[in-house]
Coordinates of all heavy atoms in Angstrom, one line a residue:
M1 N 96.4 155.4 -4.7 CA 97.0 156.3 -5.8 C 95.9 156.5 -6.9 O 95.3 155.5 -7.3 CB 98.2 155.6 -6.3 CG 99.1 156.4 -7.3 SD 98.6 156.4 -9.0 CE 98.8 154.7 -9.5
I2 N 95.9 157.7 -7.4 CA 95.0 158.1 -8.5 C 95.8 158.5 -9.6 O 96.8 159.3 -9.5 CB 94.0 159.2 -8.0 CG1 93.2 158.8 -6.9 CG2 93.2 159.7 -9.2 CD1 92.2 157.7 -7.2
L3 N 95.5 158.0 -10.8 CA 96.2 158.4 -12.0 C 95.3 159.4 -12.8 O 94.2 159.0 -13.3 CB 96.5 157.2 -12.9 CG 97.3 157.5 -14.2 CD1 98.7 158.1 -13.9 CD2 97.4 156.2 -15.0
E4 N 95.8 160.6 -13.0 CA 95.1 161.6 -13.9 C 95.7 161.4 -15.3 O 96.9 161.3 -15.5 CB 95.4 163.0 -13.3 CG 95.0 164.1 -14.2 CD 95.7 165.4 -13.8 OE1 96.3 165.5 -12.8 OE2 95.5 166.4 -14.6
Q5 N 94.8 161.4 -16.3 CA 95.2 161.3 -17.7 C 94.5 162.4 -18.5 O 93.4 162.7 -18.3 CB 94.7 159.9 -18.2 CG 94.9 159.7 -19.7 CD 93.7 160.0 -20.5 OE1 92.6 159.7 -20.1 NE2 93.9 160.6 -21.6
A6 N 95.4 163.0 -19.3 CA 94.8 164.0 -20.3 C 95.6 163.9 -21.6 O 96.8 163.9 -21.6 CB 95.0 165.4 -19.7
V7 N 94.9 163.9 -22.7 CA 95.5 164.0 -24.0 C 95.5 165.5 -24.4 O 94.4 166.1 -24.4 CB 94.7 163.2 -25.0 CG1 95.3 163.4 -26.4 CG2 94.8 161.7 -24.6
L8 N 96.6 166.1 -24.6 CA 96.8 167.5 -24.9 C 97.1 167.7 -26.4 O 98.1 167.4 -26.8 CB 97.9 168.1 -24.0 CG 97.9 167.7 -22.5 CD1 99.2 168.2 -21.8 CD2 96.7 168.3 -21.9
D9 N 96.1 168.3 -27.0 CA 96.3 168.7 -28.4 C 96.8 170.1 -28.5 O 96.0 171.1 -28.2 CB 95.0 168.5 -29.2 CG 94.6 167.1 -29.4 OD1 95.4 166.3 -29.8 OD2 93.4 166.7 -29.0
V10 N 98.0 170.3 -28.8 CA 98.7 171.6 -28.8 C 98.5 172.2 -30.3 O 98.6 171.5 -31.3 CB 100.1 171.5 -28.5 CG1 100.9 172.8 -28.7 CG2 100.3 171.0 -27.0
R11 N 98.2 173.5 -30.3 CA 98.0 174.2 -31.5 C 99.3 174.0 -32.4 O 100.4 174.1 -31.9 CB 97.8 175.7 -31.3 CG 96.6 176.0 -30.5 CD 96.4 177.5 -30.2 NE 95.3 177.8 -29.3 CZ 94.1 177.8 -29.6 NH1 93.7 177.6 -30.8 NH2 93.1 178.0 -28.7
P12 N 99.0 173.8 -33.7 CA 100.2 173.5 -34.6 C 101.2 174.7 -34.6 O 100.8 175.9 -34.5 CB 99.5 173.4 -36.0 CG 98.1 172.9 -35.7 CD 97.7 173.6 -34.4
G13 N 102.5 174.3 -34.6 CA 103.5 175.3 -34.6 C 103.8 175.8 -33.2 O 104.7 176.7 -33.0
Q14 N 103.2 175.3 -32.1 CA 103.4 175.8 -30.8 C 104.1 174.8 -29.9 O 104.2 175.1 -28.7 CB 102.0 176.2 -30.2 CG 101.3 177.4 -30.9 CD 102.1 178.6 -30.6 OE1 102.4 179.0 -29.5 NE2 102.5 179.3 -31.7
T15 N 104.5 173.7 -30.4 CA 105.0 172.6 -29.5 C 106.3 173.1 -28.8 O 106.4 172.7 -27.6 CB 105.3 171.4 -30.3 OG1 106.2 171.6 -31.4 CG2 104.1 170.8 -30.9
D16 N 107.2 173.8 -29.4 CA 108.4 174.3 -28.7 C 108.1 175.2 -27.5 O 108.6 175.0 -26.4 CB 109.4 174.9 -29.7 CG 110.1 174.0 -30.6 OD1 110.0 172.7 -30.4 OD2 110.6 174.4 -31.6
A17 N 107.2 176.1 -27.8 CA 106.7 177.1 -26.8 C 106.0 176.3 -25.7 O 106.1 176.6 -24.5 CB 105.9 178.2 -27.4
F18 N 105.1 175.3 -26.0 CA 104.4 174.6 -25.0 C 105.4 173.8 -24.1 O 105.2 173.8 -22.9 CB 103.4 173.6 -25.7 CG 102.9 172.6 -24.8 CD1 102.0 172.9 -23.8 CD2 103.3 171.2 -24.9 CE1 101.5 172.0 -22.9 CE2 102.8 170.3 -24.0 CZ 101.9 170.7 -23.0
E19 N 106.4 173.1 -24.7 CA 107.3 172.4 -23.9 C 108.1 173.3 -23.0 O 108.4 172.9 -21.8 CB 108.2 171.6 -24.8 CG 107.5 170.4 -25.5 CD 108.4 169.5 -26.3 OE1 109.6 169.5 -26.2 OE2 107.9 168.8 -27.2
A20 N 108.5 174.5 -23.4 CA 109.2 175.4 -22.6 C 108.3 175.9 -21.4 O 108.7 175.9 -20.3 CB 109.6 176.6 -23.4
A21 N 107.0 176.2 -21.7 CA 106.1 176.6 -20.7 C 105.8 175.4 -19.7 O 105.7 175.7 -18.5 CB 104.8 177.1 -21.3
F22 N 105.7 174.2 -20.2 CA 105.4 173.1 -19.4 C 106.6 172.8 -18.4 O 106.4 172.5 -17.3 CB 105.1 171.8 -20.1 CG 104.5 170.7 -19.3 CD1 103.2 170.6 -19.1 CD2 105.3 169.8 -18.6 CE1 102.6 169.7 -18.3 CE2 104.8 168.9 -17.8 CZ 103.4 168.8 -17.6
S23 N 107.8 173.1 -18.9 CA 109.0 172.9 -18.1 C 108.9 173.8 -16.9 O 109.3 173.5 -15.8 CB 110.2 173.2 -18.9 OG 111.4 173.0 -18.2
E24 N 108.4 175.0 -17.1 CA 108.2 176.0 -16.0 C 107.0 175.6 -15.1 O 107.1 175.6 -13.9 CB 108.0 177.4 -16.6 CG 107.8 178.4 -15.5 CD 107.6 179.8 -16.1 OE1 107.9 180.0 -17.3 OE2 107.2 180.7 -15.4
A25 N 106.0 175.2 -15.7 CA 104.7 174.8 -15.0 C 104.9 173.6 -14.1 O 104.2 173.5 -13.1 CB 103.6 174.7 -16.0
K26 N 105.7 172.7 -14.5 CA 105.8 171.4 -13.7 C 106.3 171.7 -12.3 O 106.0 170.9 -11.4 CB 106.6 170.3 -14.4 CG 108.1 170.6 -14.5 CD 108.8 169.6 -15.3 CE 110.3 169.9 -15.3 NZ 111.0 168.8 -16.0
A27 N 107.0 172.8 -12.1 CA 107.4 173.1 -10.7 C 106.2 173.5 -9.9 O 106.2 173.3 -8.6 CB 108.4 174.3 -10.8
I28 N 105.2 174.0 -10.5 CA 104.0 174.4 -9.7 C 103.3 173.1 -9.3 O 102.9 173.0 -8.1 CB 103.1 175.3 -10.6 CG1 103.7 176.6 -11.0 CG2 101.7 175.5 -10.0 CD1 103.0 177.3 -12.1
I29 N 103.0 172.2 -10.2 CA 102.2 171.1 -9.8 C 103.0 170.1 -8.9 O 102.5 169.5 -8.0 CB 101.7 170.3 -11.1 CG1 100.6 169.3 -10.7 CG2 102.9 169.7 -11.8 CD1 100.0 168.7 -11.9
S30 N 104.3 170.0 -9.1 CA 105.1 169.1 -8.3 C 105.2 169.6 -6.8 O 105.6 168.8 -6.0 CB 106.5 168.9 -8.9 OG 107.2 170.1 -8.9
A31 N 104.9 170.8 -6.6 CA 105.0 171.3 -5.2 C 103.7 171.1 -4.4 O 103.6 171.5 -3.2 CB 105.4 172.8 -5.2
M32 N 102.7 170.6 -5.1 CA 101.3 170.5 -4.5 C 101.2 169.3 -3.6 O 101.8 168.2 -3.9 CB 100.2 170.4 -5.6 CG 100.1 171.6 -6.5 SD 99.9 173.2 -5.6 CE 98.4 172.9 -4.8
P33 N 100.6 169.5 -2.4 CA 100.3 168.3 -1.5 C 99.6 167.2 -2.3 O 98.7 167.4 -3.1 CB 99.4 168.9 -0.4 CG 99.7 170.3 -0.5 CD 100.0 170.7 -1.9
G34 N 100.1 166.0 -2.1 CA 99.5 164.8 -2.7 C 100.0 164.4 -4.1 O 99.7 163.4 -4.6
F35 N 100.8 165.3 -4.7 CA 101.5 165.0 -5.9 C 102.5 164.0 -5.7 O 103.3 164.0 -4.8 CB 102.1 166.3 -6.5 CG 102.9 166.0 -7.7 CD1 102.4 166.0 -9.0 CD2 104.3 165.8 -7.6 CE1 103.2 165.8 -10.1 CE2 105.1 165.5 -8.7 CZ 104.5 165.5 -10.0
Q36 N 102.5 162.9 -6.6 CA 103.5 161.9 -6.6 C 104.5 162.0 -7.7 O 105.7 162.1 -7.5 CB 102.9 160.5 -6.6 CG 102.1 160.2 -5.4 CD 101.6 158.8 -5.4 OE1 101.9 157.9 -6.3 NE2 100.7 158.5 -4.5
R37 N 104.0 162.1 -9.0 CA 104.9 162.2 -10.1 C 104.1 162.5 -11.4 O 102.9 162.3 -11.3 CB 105.8 160.9 -10.3 CG 105.0 159.7 -10.7 CD 105.8 158.4 -10.9 NE 106.9 158.5 -11.8 CZ 106.8 158.0 -13.1 NH1 105.6 157.5 -13.5 NH2 107.7 158.2 -14.0
L38 N 104.8 162.9 -12.4 CA 104.1 163.0 -13.7 C 105.0 162.6 -14.8 O 106.3 162.6 -14.7 CB 103.6 164.5 -13.9 CG 104.6 165.6 -14.1 CD1 105.3 165.6 -15.5 CD2 104.0 167.0 -13.9
T39 N 104.4 162.3 -16.0 CA 105.1 162.1 -17.2 C 104.4 162.9 -18.3 O 103.1 162.9 -18.3 CB 105.2 160.7 -17.6 OG1 103.9 160.1 -17.8 CG2 106.0 159.9 -16.6
L40 N 105.1 163.5 -19.2 CA 104.6 164.2 -20.4 C 105.2 163.5 -21.5 O 106.5 163.5 -21.6 CB 104.8 165.7 -20.4 CG 104.3 166.4 -21.6 CD1 102.8 166.5 -21.6 CD2 104.9 167.8 -21.6
S41 N 104.4 162.9 -22.4 CA 105.0 162.2 -23.6 C 104.4 162.8 -24.8 O 103.2 163.1 -24.9 CB 104.6 160.7 -23.5 OG 105.1 160.1 -22.3
R42 N 105.2 162.8 -25.9 CA 104.8 163.4 -27.2 C 104.5 162.2 -28.1 O 105.3 161.2 -28.2 CB 105.9 164.2 -27.8 CG 105.5 165.0 -29.0 CD 106.6 166.0 -29.3 NE 106.2 166.9 -30.4 CZ 106.9 167.8 -31.0 NH1 108.2 168.0 -30.5 NH2 106.5 168.5 -32.0
C43 N 103.4 162.3 -28.8 CA 102.9 161.3 -29.8 C 103.8 161.2 -31.0 O 104.2 162.3 -31.6 CB 101.5 161.6 -30.2 SG 100.8 160.3 -31.2
L44 N 104.2 160.0 -31.4 CA 105.0 159.9 -32.6 C 104.2 160.1 -33.9 O 104.7 160.6 -34.8 CB 105.7 158.5 -32.6 CG 106.6 158.2 -31.4 CD1 107.2 156.8 -31.4 CD2 107.8 159.2 -31.4
E45 N 103.0 159.6 -33.9 CA 102.2 159.7 -35.1 C 101.5 161.1 -35.2 O 101.3 161.5 -36.4 CB 101.1 158.6 -35.0 CG 101.5 157.2 -35.1 CD 102.1 156.6 -33.8 OE1 101.8 157.3 -32.7 OE2 102.7 155.6 -33.8
R46 N 101.3 161.7 -34.2 CA 100.7 163.1 -34.2 C 101.5 164.0 -33.3 O 101.2 164.2 -32.1 CB 99.2 163.0 -33.7 CG 98.3 162.2 -34.6 CD 96.9 162.1 -34.1 NE 96.9 161.3 -32.8 CZ 96.2 161.6 -31.7 NH1 95.5 162.7 -31.7 NH2 96.3 160.9 -30.6
P47 N 102.6 164.6 -33.9 CA 103.5 165.3 -33.0 C 103.0 166.6 -32.3 O 103.7 167.1 -31.5 CB 104.6 165.7 -34.0 CG 104.2 165.3 -35.4 CD 103.0 164.5 -35.2
D48 N 101.8 167.0 -32.6 CA 101.2 168.1 -31.8 C 100.4 167.6 -30.6 O 99.7 168.4 -30.0 CB 100.3 169.0 -32.8 CG 101.0 169.7 -33.8 OD1 102.2 170.1 -33.6 OD2 100.5 169.9 -34.9
T49 N 100.4 166.3 -30.4 CA 99.6 165.7 -29.3 C 100.5 165.1 -28.3 O 101.6 164.5 -28.5 CB 98.7 164.6 -29.9 OG1 97.9 165.1 -30.9 CG2 97.9 163.9 -28.8
Y50 N 100.2 165.4 -27.0 CA 100.9 164.9 -25.8 C 100.0 164.2 -24.9 O 98.8 164.4 -24.9 CB 101.5 166.1 -25.1 CG 102.5 166.9 -25.8 CD1 102.1 167.8 -26.8 CD2 103.9 166.7 -25.5 CE1 103.1 168.5 -27.5 CE2 104.8 167.4 -26.2 CZ 104.4 168.4 -27.2 OH 105.4 169.1 -27.9
L51 N 100.6 163.2 -24.2 CA 99.9 162.5 -23.1 C 100.5 162.9 -21.8 O 101.7 162.7 -21.5 CB 100.0 161.0 -23.3 CG 99.4 160.1 -22.2 CD1 97.9 160.3 -22.1 CD2 99.8 158.7 -22.5
L52 N 99.6 163.5 -20.9 CA 100.0 163.8 -19.6 C 99.4 162.8 -18.6 O 98.2 162.6 -18.6 CB 99.5 165.2 -19.2 CG 99.7 165.7 -17.8 CD1 101.2 165.8 -17.5 CD2 99.0 167.1 -17.6
L53 N 100.3 162.2 -17.8 CA 99.9 161.3 -16.7 C 100.4 161.9 -15.4 O 101.6 162.1 -15.3 CB 100.4 159.9 -17.0 CG 100.0 159.2 -18.2 CD1 100.8 157.9 -18.4 CD2 98.5 159.0 -18.2
V54 N 99.5 162.1 -14.4 CA 99.9 162.6 -13.2 C 99.4 161.6 -12.1 O 98.3 161.2 -12.1 CB 99.4 164.0 -12.9 CG1 99.9 164.5 -11.6 CG2 99.7 164.9 -14.0
Q55 N 100.3 161.2 -11.2 CA 99.9 160.4 -10.0 C 99.7 161.3 -8.8 O 100.5 162.1 -8.4 CB 101.0 159.4 -9.7 CG 101.1 158.3 -10.8 CD 102.1 157.3 -10.5 OE1 103.0 157.5 -9.7 NE2 102.1 156.2 -11.3
W56 N 98.5 161.1 -8.2 CA 98.1 161.8 -7.0 C 97.8 160.8 -5.9 O 97.4 159.7 -6.1 CB 96.9 162.6 -7.2 CG 97.0 163.7 -8.2 CD1 96.7 163.7 -9.6 CD2 97.5 165.0 -8.0 NE1 96.9 164.8 -10.2 CE2 97.4 165.7 -9.3 CE3 98.0 165.7 -6.9 CZ2 97.8 167.0 -9.4 CZ3 98.4 167.0 -7.1 CH2 98.3 167.7 -8.3
D57 N 98.0 161.2 -4.6 CA 97.6 160.4 -3.5 C 96.1 160.1 -3.5 O 95.7 159.0 -3.3 CB 98.0 161.1 -2.2 CG 99.5 161.0 -1.9 OD1 100.2 160.2 -2.5 OD2 100.0 161.9 -1.1
T58 N 95.3 161.2 -3.7 CA 93.9 161.1 -3.7 C 93.3 161.9 -4.8 O 93.9 162.9 -5.3 CB 93.2 161.5 -2.4 OG1 93.4 162.9 -2.3 CG2 93.9 160.8 -1.2
L59 N 92.1 161.7 -5.2 CA 91.3 162.5 -6.2 C 91.2 163.9 -5.7 O 91.3 164.9 -6.4 CB 90.0 161.9 -6.5 CG 89.1 162.6 -7.5 CD1 89.8 162.7 -8.9 CD2 87.7 162.0 -7.6
E60 N 90.9 164.1 -4.4 CA 90.8 165.4 -3.7 C 92.0 166.2 -3.8 O 92.0 167.4 -4.0 CB 90.3 165.2 -2.3 CG 88.9 164.7 -2.1 CD 88.8 163.1 -2.4 OE1 89.9 162.5 -2.3 OE2 87.7 162.7 -2.7
D61 N 93.2 165.6 -3.8 CA 94.5 166.3 -3.9 C 94.5 167.0 -5.3 O 95.0 168.1 -5.4 CB 95.7 165.4 -3.8 CG 95.9 164.9 -2.4 OD1 95.6 165.7 -1.4 OD2 96.4 163.8 -2.2
H62 N 94.0 166.4 -6.3 CA 94.0 167.0 -7.6 C 92.8 168.0 -7.7 O 93.0 169.2 -8.1 CB 93.9 166.0 -8.7 CG 93.8 166.6 -10.1 ND1 92.9 166.2 -11.0 CD2 94.5 167.6 -10.6 CE1 93.1 167.0 -12.1 NE2 94.1 167.8 -11.9
I63 N 91.6 167.6 -7.5 CA 90.4 168.4 -7.8 C 90.3 169.6 -6.8 O 90.2 170.7 -7.3 CB 89.1 167.5 -7.7 CG1 89.2 166.4 -8.7 CG2 87.9 168.4 -7.9 CD1 89.2 166.8 -10.2
E64 N 90.4 169.3 -5.6 CA 90.2 170.4 -4.6 C 91.5 171.1 -4.3 O 91.6 172.3 -4.2 CB 89.6 169.8 -3.3 CG 88.2 169.3 -3.5 CD 87.7 168.4 -2.4 OE1 88.3 168.5 -1.3 OE2 86.7 167.7 -2.6
G65 N 92.6 170.3 -4.0 CA 93.9 170.8 -3.6 C 94.5 171.6 -4.8 O 94.8 172.9 -4.6
F66 N 94.8 171.0 -5.9 CA 95.5 171.7 -6.9 C 94.6 172.7 -7.7 O 94.9 173.8 -7.8 CB 96.1 170.6 -7.9 CG 96.8 171.2 -9.1 CD1 97.8 172.2 -8.9 CD2 96.5 170.8 -10.4 CE1 98.5 172.8 -10.0 CE2 97.2 171.4 -11.5 CZ 98.2 172.4 -11.3
R67 N 93.5 172.2 -8.2 CA 92.6 173.1 -9.0 C 92.0 174.2 -8.1 O 91.7 175.2 -8.7 CB 91.5 172.3 -9.7 CG 92.0 171.5 -10.8 CD 90.9 170.9 -11.6 NE 91.3 170.1 -12.7 CZ 90.4 169.3 -13.4 NH1 89.2 169.2 -13.0 NH2 90.9 168.6 -14.4
G68 N 91.9 174.0 -6.9 CA 91.4 175.0 -6.0 C 92.4 176.0 -5.4 O 92.1 176.8 -4.6
S69 N 93.7 175.8 -5.8 CA 94.8 176.6 -5.2 C 95.1 177.8 -6.1 O 94.8 177.9 -7.3 CB 96.0 175.7 -5.2 OG 96.6 175.5 -6.4
A70 N 95.7 178.8 -5.4 CA 96.2 180.0 -6.1 C 97.2 179.7 -7.2 O 97.2 180.2 -8.3 CB 96.7 181.0 -5.1
P71 N 98.2 178.7 -6.9 CA 99.2 178.4 -7.9 C 98.6 177.8 -9.2 O 99.2 177.9 -10.3 CB 100.1 177.4 -7.2 CG 100.0 177.7 -5.8 CD 98.5 178.1 -5.6
Y72 N 97.4 177.2 -9.1 CA 96.7 176.7 -10.3 C 96.4 177.8 -11.3 O 96.5 177.6 -12.5 CB 95.4 176.0 -9.9 CG 94.7 175.4 -11.1 CD1 95.2 174.3 -11.8 CD2 93.5 175.9 -11.5 CE1 94.6 173.8 -12.9 CE2 92.8 175.4 -12.6 CZ 93.4 174.3 -13.3 OH 92.7 173.8 -14.4
Q73 N 96.2 179.0 -10.8 CA 95.9 180.1 -11.8 C 97.2 180.4 -12.6 O 97.0 180.7 -13.8 CB 95.5 181.4 -11.0 CG 94.2 181.2 -10.2 CD 93.1 180.7 -11.0 OE1 92.8 181.2 -12.1 NE2 92.5 179.6 -10.5
E74 N 98.3 180.3 -12.1 CA 99.6 180.4 -12.8 C 99.8 179.3 -13.8 O 100.2 179.5 -15.0 CB 100.8 180.5 -11.9 CG 102.1 180.7 -12.6 CD 102.3 182.0 -13.4 OE1 101.4 182.9 -13.4 OE2 103.3 182.1 -14.1
W75 N 99.4 178.1 -13.4 CA 99.4 176.9 -14.3 C 98.6 177.1 -15.5 O 99.0 176.9 -16.6 CB 99.0 175.7 -13.5 CG 98.7 174.4 -14.3 CD1 97.5 174.1 -14.9 CD2 99.6 173.3 -14.5 NE1 97.6 172.8 -15.5 CE2 98.9 172.3 -15.3 CE3 100.9 173.1 -14.1 CZ2 99.5 171.2 -15.7 CZ3 101.5 171.9 -14.5 CH2 100.7 170.9 -15.3
K76 N 97.3 177.6 -15.2 CA 96.4 178.0 -16.3 C 97.0 179.0 -17.3 O 96.9 178.9 -18.5 CB 95.1 178.4 -15.8 CG 94.2 177.3 -15.2 CD 93.0 177.8 -14.5 CE 92.2 178.9 -15.3 NZ 90.9 179.2 -14.6
R77 N 97.6 180.1 -16.7 CA 98.1 181.1 -17.5 C 99.3 180.6 -18.4 O 99.4 181.0 -19.6 CB 98.7 182.2 -16.6 CG 99.1 183.5 -17.4 CD 99.9 184.5 -16.5 NE 101.2 183.9 -16.1 CZ 102.3 183.9 -16.9 NH1 102.2 184.2 -18.2 NH2 103.5 183.4 -16.4
L78 N 100.1 179.8 -17.9 CA 101.2 179.2 -18.6 C 100.8 178.3 -19.7 O 101.4 178.3 -20.8 CB 102.2 178.5 -17.7 CG 103.0 179.4 -16.8 CD1 103.7 178.5 -15.7 CD2 104.0 180.2 -17.6
L79 N 99.7 177.5 -19.5 CA 99.5 176.3 -20.4 C 98.2 176.3 -21.2 O 98.1 175.8 -22.3 CB 99.6 175.0 -19.6 CG 100.9 174.7 -19.0 CD1 100.8 173.5 -18.1 CD2 102.0 174.6 -20.0
H80 N 97.1 176.8 -20.6 CA 95.8 176.6 -21.2 C 95.6 177.2 -22.6 O 94.8 176.7 -23.4 CB 94.7 177.1 -20.3 CG 94.5 176.1 -19.1 ND1 93.4 176.2 -18.3 CD2 95.2 175.1 -18.7 CE1 93.5 175.2 -17.4 NE2 94.6 174.6 -17.6
H81 N 96.3 178.2 -23.0 CA 96.1 178.8 -24.3 C 96.7 178.0 -25.4 O 96.5 178.3 -26.6 CB 96.7 180.3 -24.3 CG 98.2 180.3 -24.1 ND1 98.7 180.2 -22.8 CD2 99.2 180.4 -24.9 CE1 100.1 180.3 -22.9 NE2 100.4 180.4 -24.2
F82 N 97.5 177.0 -25.1 CA 98.1 176.1 -26.1 C 97.1 175.1 -26.7 O 97.4 174.5 -27.7 CB 99.3 175.4 -25.5 CG 100.5 176.3 -25.3 CD1 100.9 176.6 -24.1 CD2 101.3 176.7 -26.4 CE1 102.0 177.4 -23.9 CE2 102.4 177.5 -26.2 CZ 102.8 177.9 -25.0
Y83 N 96.0 174.8 -26.0 CA 95.2 173.6 -26.3 C 94.1 174.0 -27.2 O 93.4 174.9 -27.1 CB 94.6 173.0 -25.0 CG 95.6 172.7 -23.9 CD1 95.4 173.0 -22.6 CD2 96.8 172.1 -24.2 CE1 96.3 172.8 -21.6 CE2 97.8 171.9 -23.2 CZ 97.5 172.2 -21.9 OH 98.4 171.9 -21.0
D84 N 93.9 173.1 -28.2 CA 92.8 173.2 -29.1 C 92.5 171.8 -29.7 O 93.3 171.3 -30.5 CB 93.0 174.1 -30.3 CG 91.8 174.4 -31.2 OD1 90.7 174.2 -30.7 OD2 92.0 174.7 -32.3
P85 N 91.4 171.1 -29.2 CA 90.4 171.6 -28.3 C 91.0 171.5 -26.8 O 92.0 170.9 -26.6 CB 89.3 170.7 -28.5 CG 89.9 169.4 -28.9 CD 91.1 169.8 -29.7
F86 N 90.2 172.0 -25.9 CA 90.6 171.9 -24.5 C 90.5 170.5 -24.1 O 89.5 169.8 -24.4 CB 89.8 172.8 -23.6 CG 90.4 173.0 -22.3 CD1 91.4 173.9 -22.1 CD2 89.9 172.3 -21.2 CE1 92.0 174.1 -20.8 CE2 90.5 172.4 -19.9 CZ 91.6 173.3 -19.8
P87 N 91.5 169.9 -23.4 CA 91.5 168.5 -23.0 C 90.4 168.1 -22.0 O 90.1 168.8 -21.1 CB 92.9 168.3 -22.5 CG 93.3 169.6 -22.0 CD 92.7 170.6 -22.8
T88 N 90.0 166.8 -22.1 CA 89.2 166.2 -21.1 C 90.2 165.5 -20.2 O 91.1 164.8 -20.6 CB 88.3 165.1 -21.8 OG1 87.4 165.8 -22.7 CG2 87.5 164.4 -20.7
V89 N 90.0 165.7 -18.9 CA 90.9 165.1 -17.9 C 90.0 164.0 -17.2 O 88.9 164.2 -16.8 CB 91.3 166.1 -16.8 CG1 92.1 165.5 -15.7 CG2 92.1 167.2 -17.5
E90 N 90.6 162.8 -17.1 CA 90.0 161.7 -16.5 C 90.9 161.1 -15.4 O 92.1 161.3 -15.4 CB 89.7 160.6 -17.5 CG 88.7 161.1 -18.5 CD 88.4 160.1 -19.6 OE1 89.4 159.5 -20.1 OE2 87.2 159.9 -19.9
H91 N 90.3 160.4 -14.4 CA 91.0 159.9 -13.3 C 90.8 158.4 -13.2 O 89.7 157.9 -13.4 CB 90.5 160.5 -12.0 CG 90.7 162.0 -12.0 ND1 89.8 162.9 -12.5 CD2 91.8 162.8 -11.6 CE1 90.2 164.1 -12.4 NE2 91.5 164.1 -11.9
Y92 N 91.8 157.6 -12.9 CA 91.8 156.2 -12.9 C 92.4 155.7 -11.5 O 93.3 156.3 -11.0 CB 92.6 155.6 -14.0 CG 92.1 155.9 -15.3 CD1 92.4 157.1 -16.0 CD2 91.2 155.0 -16.0 CE1 91.9 157.4 -17.2 CE2 90.7 155.3 -17.3 CZ 91.0 156.5 -17.9 OH 90.5 156.9 -19.1
R93 N 91.8 154.6 -11.1 CA 92.3 153.8 -9.9 C 92.8 152.5 -10.4 O 92.1 151.8 -11.2 CB 91.2 153.6 -8.9 CG 91.8 152.8 -7.7 CD 90.8 152.8 -6.5 NE 91.0 154.2 -5.8 CZ 90.0 155.0 -5.6 NH1 88.8 154.7 -5.9 NH2 90.3 156.2 -5.0
E94 N 94.0 152.1 -10.1 CA 94.6 150.9 -10.5 C 93.8 149.6 -10.1 O 93.4 149.6 -9.0 CB 96.1 150.8 -10.0 CG 96.9 149.7 -10.5 CD 98.3 149.8 -10.0 OE1 99.1 150.6 -10.6 OE2 98.6 149.1 -9.1
V95 N 93.7 148.7 -11.0 CA 92.9 147.5 -10.8 C 93.9 146.3 -10.6 O 93.8 145.5 -9.7 CB 91.9 147.2 -11.9 CG1 91.2 145.9 -11.7 CG2 90.9 148.3 -11.9
T96 N 94.9 146.3 -11.5 CA 95.8 145.2 -11.5 C 97.1 145.6 -12.2 O 97.1 146.6 -12.9 CB 95.3 143.9 -12.2 OG1 96.2 142.8 -11.9 CG2 95.0 144.1 -13.6
T97 N 98.2 144.9 -11.9 CA 99.5 145.1 -12.6 C 100.1 143.8 -13.0 O 99.7 142.8 -12.5 CB 100.5 145.9 -11.7 OG1 100.7 145.0 -10.5 CG2 99.9 147.2 -11.2
A98 N 101.1 143.8 -13.8 CA 101.8 142.6 -14.2 C 103.3 142.9 -14.2 O 103.7 144.1 -14.3 CB 101.4 142.2 -15.6

C-alpha cells in the first residue's frame, strides 16, 4: 500500500466551492484501478488548508494510472484552480504501526 499525501492551500473565500467540487471529483478518483480510499480533512488552525490522504495499491496506480488517464483531466478541471500555491504531492510506504 502506498499513501499519497498533499497539503492543499485553497484560495481564501473558496472553501465552500472547493468542497463542492471535491465532492464531485472524488467519484473520479475512487473509480480508478488501484484506488483504496481517501480522506480529506480541513485544518482547524488554518481553515483554508486541507490535508488529502489517498491510499493506492502501488505508486504506478497513482502516477501512471490515475495521472495518465483521461478522467484525470476532469479532476484537474474541477480542482486545480482552487490551489495557491499548487500543492506538492508526496508518497509514503508504511514502516510500522501501533
Side-chain angles (χ1 to χ4, degrees):
M1 189 272 300
I2 299 298
L3 181 63
E4 169 196 353
Q5 172 266 320
V7 175
L8 310 174
D9 292 307
V10 173
R11 296 177 190 280
Q14 295 291 306
T15 57
D16 289 344
F18 168 71
E19 289 183 20
F22 195 91
S23 183
E24 183 178 345
K26 71 181 180 181
I28 297 168
I29 194 170
S30 65
M32 298 305 300
F35 172 87
Q36 292 184 12
R37 69 183 297 265
L38 70 74
T39 60
L40 179 69
S41 303
R42 191 171 183 183
C43 183
L44 298 176
E45 293 80 11
R46 295 177 293 133
D48 293 328
T49 301
Y50 293 79
L51 175 64
L52 175 63
L53 299 173
V54 184
Q55 291 178 346
W56 296 97
D57 289 339
T58 68
L59 180 61
E60 293 75 23
D61 287 330
H62 178 226
I63 300 297
E64 297 167 13
F66 179 51
R67 286 189 181 169
S69 71
Y72 180 70
Q73 299 309 311
E74 179 64 5
W75 170 273
K76 284 174 46 174
R77 185 192 70 75
L78 287 167
L79 299 175
H80 284 194
H81 63 281
F82 287 108
Y83 308 136
D84 185 27
F86 196 78
T88 298
V89 176
E90 298 176 313
H91 301 89
Y92 295 83
R93 177 168 284 125
E94 191 173 277
V95 174
T96 189
T97 62

